[in-house]
Amino acid sequence: MKLSLSIPLSSFYCFFFLLVLSVSSEERASTPPRGWNSYDSYSWIISEEEFLQNAEILSQRLHAHGYEYVVVDYLWYRRKVPGAGADSLGFDVIDEWGRMIPDPDRWPSSSGGKGFTEVANKVHSMGLKFGIHVMRGISTQAVNANSPILDTTTGSAYEESGRVWHAQDIGFKEKTCAWMQHGFMSVNTDLGAGKAFLRSLYQQYASWGVDFIKNDCVFGDDLNLNEITYISEVLKELDRPILYSLSPGTSATPDMAKAVSGLSNMYRITGDDWDVWEHVVAHFDVTRDFAAAKMIGSSGLLGTSWPDLDMLPLGYLTDPGSNEGPHRKCRLNIKEQRTQVTLWSIVKSPLMFGGDLRNIDDTTFSLITNPTLLEINSHSANNVEFPYISGSTSARARKHGRSRSYPTSVEESEVEVLGMTSCKDPKANGWLVQELDQDLERICWKENMENRHGEPFCLYKRNSSAESEQEIMYGSQYQGPLHLLASENTEFCLDASPKRKITSSEFTRGTFSDCTWNANQMWKFHGNGTLISSYSGLCAKMIKLKANDGAAGARSWIATGRSGEIFLAFFNLNSYDMKISALVSDLAKALPGRTVSSCTGNEIWSSTKIDRPTLDSISILVESHDCALYVLNCR
Ligand SMILES: *[C@@H]1O[C@H](CO)[C@@H](O)[C@H](O)[C@H]1NC(C)=O
Ligand SMILES: *[C@@H]1O[C@H](CO)[C@@H](O)[C@H](O)[C@H]1NC(C)=O
């Protein structure tokens, strides 16, 4: 009876499951998106011809490996003329409604108001999907021009309360993008006109045939939850499935990610990644924390959302923010490149290749198309850092390693920096106010006050009784918030956000610059000990960082495969070689519900085989900055 009932039931479930599968083939970003982005090799200066050449090569050589999106990175609307650069003002092509349109000199097919329509058509005919990068809010140029706002429901200017609304009604001049201060500012999403403007942008992108939007200067230190929330709503209502990607990720925390993951399909979790070893290292702690918080593959905008480690700057590249195209080779050595691609794969980051595809070399090609890595990237599960490893190294290896500054003690290898976090983070309430005398107060990080060594980290309230014109103008708006100085006698104010995109490893003790009445320099102190920024609504806290990669040592990640195999990666971040080991009996500790007593398998980079079942340990010498990756069959 029981048995006979279970047969139709299970076939019903089977049918139901198939039904769900066929619907979920529409699900957005069900595996980490993969493709190419123009920034690492062209900065902002790419032309239509160069872009389509890269797309063509992607479709011929990489599409079969799952690389599907081709994305134009920033400033496609900026004219490439003398004086124009990454943060210049006045060189952008905008339409009568203050919207960015492609520079017709660089994108000839856009002339006559066609935007990216023809480029998108060509990309689609190659079997690929087309993506663009856009900044927060509205351009300074549109605000200066005071363009009227388009109401897409009527096709004419947006009217409310009996008047036409313009760019100056919706742009927050004091909320310019902190790393592109002359370029863009937030819009007021509380206003119908602010919403109408954002809607007019995203509906236009959809009409061009865009499939992927990278929205920059809205996440990390630049968090702009209002815009993300509204744009996500607009994207949800469009007929066209557009993936939504958020950037940058400087200071991003799992807490912050929880606020945006459901609204997006991917979001950056670090600052920009370039071909610098310290950038690669900086991703290890962050990914560990996001995996532990169960953020890998959480539910997202009409599908799934993925923590994004940034593009892969491999092969033939340019330099950050430059006015030059591809002109140099990647500066990471092959071991460092292997480490990068292995980490990106096993944490299931989107894989967006950044090198110039017209000049891709065989080594780079085989690295980014390695079938084991791509299988892990798309289809592994239970991905977490695996802490149960040991490392051993001979004194000789250390001495003869490439170590420049091997730390003498662990304490010396830590540095404290000012970072940003969600205000709900219980560790954010570490500030207290100290009255020095009647006129002077400072705000200090409590933990350092109790510390015997060195100076406490304090910020000084600025005496702003001398009223300038700007102070009178913004004074009422900033009643309560304050300027914070590095010391009582300087006139340099603390910025909420770095002016350029930086990796956490590059932080200094906050960033200070000339005081202005701009939201990214205004702070509010709450009685519960939090210090909140008027720019992003995030709170400041002191973070301990490892100052030297020599101390970061050996790392390991584990994941399971579709056929029950176990993937185990070892990374040696040290500047000397190290033998890294894991006990077979420990593997199950990271794999809930699984028992492991013996394994066979192979290491993919050295083709080392474990033929006879090992009950004991898995152990291999990993060279400095290199990694090992095992595919294990365990019982
Ligand atoms: C501190 O107070 C602010 C303002 O009421 C609140 O938003 C924040 O969540 C609180 N944070 C902590 C850590 O208690
Ligand atoms: C702050 O400004 C007021 C008014 O200008 C002045 O009387 C006071 O001495 C100033 N305090 C400090 C610490 O500079």
Side-chain angles (χ1 to χ4, degrees), residues 422-429 526-530 532 539:
S422 153
C423 293
K424 288 185 195 128
D425 179 350
K427 290 193 183 118
N429 62 359
H526 277 302
N528 61 9
T530 52
I532 182 169
C539 280

Side-chain angles (χ1 to χ4, degrees), residues 437 439-440 463-466 488:
D437 60 46
D439 298 314
L440 190 63
N463 189 354
S464 56
S465 28
E488 53 189 289

Side-chain angles (χ1 to χ4, degrees), residues 20-228:
V20 169
L21 266 185
S22 66
V23 171
S24 71
S25 66
E26 308 259 329
E27 184 192 309
R28 297 181 198 182
S30 56
T31 58
R34 204 173 282 164
W36 181 79
N37 174 298
S38 61
Y39 180 64
D40 290 349
S41 43
Y42 292 86
S43 183
W44 63 277
I45 61 154
I46 193 164
S47 69
E48 178 167 340
E49 190 186 3
E50 290 161 332
F51 182 77
L52 290 174
Q53 284 169 352
N54 274 278
E56 188 62 46
I57 299 165
L58 191 96
S59 82
Q60 285 165 13
R61 301 193 62 195
L62 287 160
H63 191 200
H65 302 277
Y67 289 82
E68 187 180 15
Y69 291 89
V70 279
V71 183
V72 190
D73 211 272
Y74 72 161
L75 307 179
W76 36 265
Y77 33 80
R78 187 151 296 173
R79 285 184 295 127
K80 197 184 149 200
V81 292
D87 191 19
S88 55
L89 175 61
F91 298 97
D92 295 342
V93 187
I94 59 174
D95 71 5
E96 60 179 310
W97 307 108
R99 300 179 296 183
M100 319 310 296
I101 50 176
D103 166 23
D105 289 335
R106 285 195 288 142
W107 302 91
S109 79
S110 70
S111 61
K114 293 199 292 290
F116 276 127
T117 310
E118 288 199 8
V119 174
N121 281 342
K122 284 187 182 154
V123 167
H124 294 153
S125 72
M126 297 175 197
L128 303 175
K129 296 198 161 127
F130 177 60
I132 58 171
H133 170 291
V134 297
M135 294 291 292
R136 69 160 53 192
I138 189 166
S139 71
T140 309
Q141 208 171 307
V143 171
N144 289 349
N146 204 20
S147 311
I149 288 155
L150 172 65
D151 182 345
T152 54
T153 61
T154 63
S156 51
Y158 182 84
E159 285 183 51
E160 196 188 311
S161 315
R163 70 175 178 98
V164 168
W165 290 67
H166 292 85
Q168 282 174 11
D169 301 320
I170 62 163
F172 278 127
K173 279 193 171 156
E174 73 286 2
K175 283 200 181 181
T176 50
C177 172
W179 59 266
M180 196 196 280
Q181 298 215 356
H182 298 102
F184 287 82
M185 64 186 76
S186 299
V187 303
N188 188 343
T189 52
D190 291 338
L191 298 174
K195 289 187 174 134
F197 178 73
L198 291 176
R199 205 161 53 230
S200 76
L201 296 182
Y202 285 78
Q203 288 188 351
Q204 184 180 50
Y205 304 147
S207 78
W208 287 342
V210 168
D211 307 294
F212 178 103
I213 290 174
K214 174 178 171 185
N215 192 186
D216 212 336
C217 208
V218 296
F219 191 53
D221 276 351
D222 302 296
L223 185 69
N224 190 333
L225 203 48
N226 293 337
E227 281 189 25
I228 293 172

Side-chain angles (χ1 to χ4, degrees), residues 440-455:
L440 190 63
E441 281 183 342
R442 60 180 196 175
I443 296 176
C444 301
W445 186 247
K446 261 186 278 185
E447 218 173 273
N448 303 88
M449 302 286 290
E450 294 143 14
N451 193 337
R452 302 78 43 206
H453 317 294
E455 284 286 293

